[in-house]
Amino acid sequence: MADLFERLVKNYGPIGQHRERAHGYFAFPKLEGEIGSRMQFRGKEVIVWSLNNYLGLANHAEVRKADADGAKQYGLATPMGARMMSGNSNFHEQLEKELAEFEGKEDVCLLNYGYQGMVSIIDALCSRHDVIVYDAESHACIIDGVRLHPGHRYVFKHNDLLDFEKQMQRATALIEKQEAGGILVITEGVFGMAGDQGKLKEIAALKDKYQFRLLVDDAHGFGTLGKTGAGAGEEQGVQDDIDLYFSTFAKSMASIGAFVAGDRQIIDYIRYNIRSQIFAKSLPMPVTIGNLKRLELLRTKPELKDKLWENARKLQNGLKEKGFDIGKTDSPVTPIYMKGGVEEATAMVMDLRENYGVFASIVVYPVIPKGHIIYRLIPTAAHKDKDIADTLKAFEETKKKLDEGAYKAELIPDMAEYSAKRFEYFSSKPKSK
Ligand SMILES: Cc1ncc(COP(=O)(O)O)c(C=O)c1O
């Protein structure tokens, strides 16, 4: 019989296969110092473009104080247990009430994490006769929630309304044949890789033609889009057509946790049936108190969102003026599309970090097709003009080197923090029988 572990360590997966050269540098890097536009990486200052600290709240003085006061008064343990059993508090309920008001919905259910929350919302909402119709470029939390679904699912091509209608017709026909079930449509407010908004307005308009409920993951739109920052629904004027509005606190709120907003009865249904919350300890009090402070600042300081957009425009226009392809973004998420191999991409990233002091995330094969490189820059309200100017210059110079073939190499650079021996497993253990 094969040993399960032996198979796993023969293939560490698409990113894991590079770990011996990449660990601690290209993967699992450690950014140190106070969160801001400039931080320390391996002892050197770098301009950071990898954090979703959109509004710059991570290190805001009032936020730091609220977090510290909450921790001092309650510690991390309080409240103990799942909310349904013993872990509820007035602070949790207050946060739900304020979020519901902000999102223009009747009620909100807090979630400990966005990823788990989304998986579990889908699980709570759908039974085996229901059909899910979802966008092909949905975040992993949606994909994994759909994987748990025991019934049928149809995926539509990313933001393609013709294909959306085709899948809706298939879903509708199936439900009519079954004589049972309903349709849940899931998409995103902003797609986190390309930065394009989901076609919420167009999908909402099709509610007259098809019968479905709409669930939107607005992780990147919450706090960044819409007049008040309520997100992509507000931005596109269709907040009322979104039946369930979901966001994480991990981005604009620079915190942890998530929420889902909707009609009171449905949120109550979720509250009493969502397994990720019923079978897990509730959000710690300092996190909940810290989130109340963040929401207050998000609501009352529109200048933070204005600054974010000022910086996003400066960065995006600067890149476009220099001839970079930034695709179809209509959010602060700023992708830069380039051509090159994995080895070239890593050598370029290294040059950017070591010689230009620019820290940005990249995506390469096999996550995207071979020969393509995507940088993903996240501007924030905390970035300064000099950060943007230095970064534009760095990309201009390194892109020229990339095009001239200066980064061509056989292997990705060996930048691992530890010796490869650290990763050996079977060499140090007796073989299983
Ligand atoms: C679109 C989207 N949904 C959900 C999540 C997961 O949220 P969390 O980090 O709170 O688990 C993320 C990433 O954080 C995301 O980008």
Side-chain angles (χ1 to χ4, degrees):
M1 196 205 273
D3 174 23
L4 182 80
F5 283 5
E6 200 159 348
R7 172 175 61 78
L8 301 183
V9 299
K10 270 193 193 130
N11 176 5
Y12 279 83
I15 301 171
Q17 64 177 321
H18 299 299
R19 76 203 181 288
E20 287 181 10
R21 304 176 80 82
H23 194 87
Y25 196 89
F26 301 112
F28 295 85
K30 292 170 197 158
L31 283 168
E32 292 168 322
E34 302 230 338
I35 294 179
S37 71
R38 294 194 183 232
M39 297 176 71
Q40 299 286 314
F41 178 58
R42 288 196 174 188
K44 275 192 195 162
E45 186 183 88
V46 283
I47 308 169
V48 179
W49 294 101
S50 296
L51 308 183
N52 293 300
N53 178 28
Y54 286 118
L55 302 177
L57 289 180
N59 213 19
H60 192 286
E62 288 184 48
V63 164
R64 294 293 298 264
K65 183 171 181 321
D67 290 351
D69 289 351
K72 191 160 181 229
Q73 193 172 356
Y74 293 98
L76 274 175
T78 316
M80 288 287 281
R83 285 186 71 196
M84 191 189 264
M85 305 302 285
S86 54
N88 197 16
S89 84
N90 288 333
F91 288 112
H92 289 71
E93 290 183 353
Q94 179 69 19
L95 181 57
E96 290 180 331
K97 189 167 160 279
E98 292 190 18
L99 281 163
E101 271 166 23
F102 182 59
E103 285 304 329
K105 298 289 182 199
E106 285 178 2
D107 203 355
V108 153
C109 176
L110 286 182
L111 309 160
N112 289 0
Y113 288 97
Y115 172 90
Q116 288 174 2
M118 177 55 87
V119 168
S120 207
I121 289 167
I122 298 172
D123 173 57
L125 294 177
C126 297
S127 66
R128 101 194 137 82
H129 287 115
D130 298 321
V131 180
I132 301 177
V133 176
Y134 66 103
D135 188 285
E137 286 185 15
S138 294
H139 187 266
C141 64
I142 298 173
I143 304 289
D144 293 356
V146 171
R147 280 165 63 189
L148 271 186
H149 176 48
H152 284 81
R153 77 281 322 254
Y154 297 113
V155 59
F156 60 94
K157 289 185 198 135
H158 173 57
N159 263 349
D160 180 332
L161 290 160
L162 280 179
D163 199 41
F164 173 72
E165 284 214 55
K166 203 164 129 193
Q167 304 312 325
M168 284 302 296
Q169 283 155 14
R170 291 174 76 192
T172 307
L174 181 72
I175 282 171
E176 280 167 4
K177 194 169 140 215
Q178 288 175 173
E179 292 181 0
I183 301 174
L184 178 69
V185 171
I186 315 176
T187 188
E188 293 189 36
V190 173
F191 288 84
M193 288 293 291
D196 54 335
Q197 288 180 39
K199 296 220 182 303
L200 307 183
K201 197 170 166 195
E202 293 80 355
I203 290 176
L206 287 165
K207 278 192 160 181
D208 289 341
K209 194 164 167 190
Y210 304 96
Q211 197 184 345
F212 63 91
R213 292 293 182 175
L214 179 58
L215 165 60
V216 174
D217 178 342
D218 200 24
H220 294 272
F222 177 74
T224 72
L225 292 180
K227 193 163 171 292
T228 68
E234 183 185 41
E235 174 87 17
Q236 299 186 29
V238 290
Q239 183 70 350
D240 291 347
D241 295 300
I242 297 175
D243 297 292
L244 288 169
Y245 177 94
F246 163 100
S247 179
T248 169
F249 298 141
K251 301 183 195 288
S252 284
M253 297 268 277
S255 175
I256 204 153
F259 71 94
V260 58
D263 289 352
R264 180 158 296 122
Q265 286 180 321
I266 301 308
I267 294 300
D268 245 357
Y269 175 85
I270 291 175
R271 192 172 274 131
Y272 276 85
N273 292 278
I274 184 163
R275 294 169 71 83
S276 70
Q277 295 304 120
I278 295 171
F279 297 101
K281 186 180 185 293
S282 63
L283 279 177
M285 207 74 105
V287 174
T288 312
I289 290 170
N291 284 339
L292 277 162
K293 173 53 79 181
R294 286 161 173 81
L295 182 61
E296 178 198 317
L297 295 176
L298 190 151
R299 270 190 336 230
T300 57
K301 295 205 176 299
E303 60 271 26
L304 297 175
K305 181 162 68 73
D306 294 346
K307 183 70 187 162
L308 159 70
W309 274 100
E310 186 190 316
N311 285 342
R313 290 204 177 94
K314 278 185 190 155
L315 177 71
Q316 294 181 357
N317 291 339
L319 286 165
K320 280 196 257 181
E321 276 158 24
K322 292 194 184 300
F324 284 98
D325 175 7
I326 64 165
K328 290 193 221 159
T329 180
D330 46 11
S331 73
V333 175
T334 307
I336 314 179
Y337 298 93
M338 295 186 195
K339 294 236 161 32
V342 176
E343 297 77 13
E344 277 184 294
T346 47
M348 182 175 170
V349 165
M350 216 182 116
D351 195 16
L352 276 167
R353 288 185 190 173
E354 300 303 317
N355 302 317
Y356 296 89
V358 170
F359 188 102
S361 309
I362 51 161
V363 189
V364 291
Y365 176 82
V367 181
I368 53 171
K370 241 183 192 144
H372 291 265
I373 305 170
I374 307 179
Y375 281 90
R376 183 170 166 274
L377 273 57
I378 303 291
T380 71
H383 283 95
K384 310 272 184 305
D385 282 354
K386 180 153 168 42
D387 300 328
I388 298 171
D390 289 355
T391 301
L392 290 174
K393 185 162 175 285
F395 270 100
E396 190 174 27
E397 289 181 17
T398 50
K399 169 74 163 48
K400 193 158 168 275
K401 292 189 208 171
L402 176 76
D403 292 344
E404 288 166 359
Y407 298 125
K408 286 244 181 285
E410 294 286 302
L411 289 168
I412 71 166
D414 185 356
M415 296 300 290
E417 200 166 20
Y418 307 106
S419 119
K421 290 263 175 281
R422 174 174 178 268
F423 301 101
E424 281 176 15
Y425 182 78
F426 281 93
S427 60
S428 60
K429 285 197 167 14
K431 277 254 175 242
S432 54
K433 293 193 187 85

